[in-house]
């Protein structure tokens, strides 16, 4: 698994969805799209689709987070994606 680069997160306001801004931000920090990994919330199919578009694929099992919960108090889970 690549460990050279970790993309921490890309958060945009809903108004910026679909504008291409997120891809520009990722390309600004990694223009060569080198091997990298990231963690994404399992309940965020939009983000997972975005990262797949950038060449990332799911790698491994989902990991429940003990310190983060959703609005109903359920533990959130993340999954690793690699490129």
């Amino acid at each position: 698994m690549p460990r050279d680069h970790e993309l921490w997160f890309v958060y945009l306001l809903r108004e910026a969805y679909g504008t291409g801004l997120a891809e520009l931000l990722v390309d600004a920090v990694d223009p060569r799209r080198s091997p990298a990994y990231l963690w994404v919330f399992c309940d965020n199919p939009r983000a997972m689709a975005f990262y797949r578009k950038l060449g990332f694929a799911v790698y491994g099992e989902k990991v429940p987070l003990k310190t983060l919960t959703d609005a109903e108090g359920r533990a959130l889970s993340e999954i690793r994606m690699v490129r």
Side-chain angles (χ1 to χ4, degrees), residues 12 18 22-24 27 31 40-42 58 68 72 80:
L12 297 177
E23 191 167 353
L24 288 172
D27 284 344
V40 63
F41 289 121
C42 293
V58 170
L68 293 175
E72 285 78 38
R80 185 179 332 188

Side-chain angles (χ1 to χ4, degrees), residues 48-76:
M48 292 178 80
F50 168 72
Y51 293 123
R52 279 194 298 274
K53 176 182 165 186
L54 297 181
F56 287 88
V58 170
Y59 181 92
E61 301 292 320
K62 69 180 179 178
V63 177
L65 299 172
K66 296 176 184 165
T67 58
L68 293 175
T69 58
D70 66 10
E72 285 78 38
R74 297 174 296 210
L76 296 172

